Amino acid sequence: MFEKFDFMIARHQELTEAIGQPEIIADTEKYQKLLKELAALTPAVDAYNAYQNTLTQIGEAEEMLSMPDMADMAEDELKRLAAQKEAEENELKLLLIPRDPDDDRNVVMEIRQGAGGDEAALFGALLLRMYGRYAERHRLQLEPVSYNMTELGGVKEAVFNIKGKGAFSRLKFESGVHRVQRVPSTESSGRIHTSTCTVAVLPEAEDVEINI
């Protein structure tokens, strides 16, 4: 099931040796490309090495079962290692899922007022604050591009960039229609209003050199 990790380990070793070569270091573009590939492989290689270590420990614990004075301890250890092995296998399966090539890109986001009038615009402002706090918490940088606000501080339309490692991977599933149901502060009869906003999330386009 995990044969692909043997290739990853071999490639990881190859890259580790390559980035130490003077001719590679001298080629900045190639050096950065290899460093990026190495960084992408490292979590999978570390996880697989940890899994192999767990298998080794299981083998050692099974050998201890034949020792009368160690059998009880070995059984407890095997129970712990079995749970650890299962968790590590699940992690490895996730690491085998093909990675989105856009995951590390910066993000261009747009929040647009939907159905619900002023209440929808206020909901849009809430979403904007939420994404700002999320970016701050995950050490990402939010950069405003253009905001069209209402007199009440709501958002008719807001376009902004979120920059940082893994920005698109964290935010790409936010794209779509967001809905809230609540009683507005201006609603005297206590009636629940439904408001919507649309959120668009796009990976930032790469710079392309054009020769004219």
Side-chain angles (χ1 to χ4, degrees):
M1 181 190 302
F2 299 134
E3 295 83 1
K4 188 176 179 181
F5 286 98
D6 292 330
F7 165 78
M8 291 182 183
I9 289 172
R11 179 58 177 164
H12 189 274
Q13 181 62 34
E14 181 183 344
L15 290 168
T16 301
E17 295 173 0
I19 61 173
Q21 301 300 317
E23 62 272 20
I24 299 294
I25 297 172
D27 187 338
T28 303
E29 184 177 347
K30 187 173 184 179
Y31 181 69
Q32 291 296 331
K33 182 179 179 181
L34 294 182
L35 274 181
K36 186 175 182 180
E37 184 182 354
L38 181 65
L41 283 173
T42 297
V45 169
D46 289 346
Y48 189 64
N49 286 336
Y51 175 67
Q52 290 298 320
N53 183 54
T54 298
L55 294 182
T56 299
Q57 292 181 61
I58 288 174
E60 293 171 350
E62 287 175 342
E63 290 179 2
M64 291 167 58
L65 286 174
S66 60
M67 306 175 187
D69 57 335
M70 302 291 287
D72 289 343
M73 182 187 299
E75 287 181 2
D76 291 339
E77 183 69 358
L78 282 171
K79 289 178 182 178
R80 182 187 70 81
L81 289 169
Q84 183 172 306
K85 175 174 174 284
E86 182 179 1
E88 289 172 345
E89 286 178 345
N90 289 334
E91 182 183 0
L92 291 175
K93 289 174 185 176
L94 290 175
L95 288 168
L96 286 174
I97 297 173
R99 193 168 182 273
D100 188 334
D102 291 330
D103 276 353
D104 283 334
R105 289 197 188 182
N106 297 327
V107 168
V108 179
M109 295 187 69
E110 177 192 72
I111 299 173
R112 188 181 292 271
Q113 174 186 351
D118 287 338
E119 180 64 16
L122 292 172
F123 176 45
L126 182 63
L127 289 174
L128 180 59
R129 288 196 298 274
M130 179 187 74
Y131 291 128
R133 290 179 180 177
Y134 181 86
E136 183 179 352
R137 177 174 297 180
H138 293 279
R139 298 182 180 179
L140 303 173
Q141 183 178 1
L142 188 150
E143 296 181 353
V145 175
S146 64
Y147 290 171
N148 183 3
M149 312 294 287
T150 68
E151 293 181 358
L152 296 175
V155 168
K156 290 183 178 179
E157 182 185 70
V159 180
F160 52 95
N161 298 325
I162 293 184
K163 298 185 176 183
K165 183 175 176 59
F168 187 67
S169 67
R170 291 181 176 277
L171 293 162
K172 59 185 177 182
F173 298 113
E174 290 296 305
S175 187
V177 178
H178 293 242
R179 184 180 72 166
V180 65
Q181 290 183 305
R182 59 185 180 185
V183 179
S185 58
T186 56
E187 175 59 58
S188 58
S189 62
R191 185 166 58 92
I192 295 175
H193 288 232
T194 299
S195 305
T196 64
C197 286
T198 59
V199 175
V201 184
L202 298 171
E204 187 177 64
E206 291 183 336
D207 292 332
V208 178
E209 185 176 340
I210 300 176
N211 296 320
I212 300 177

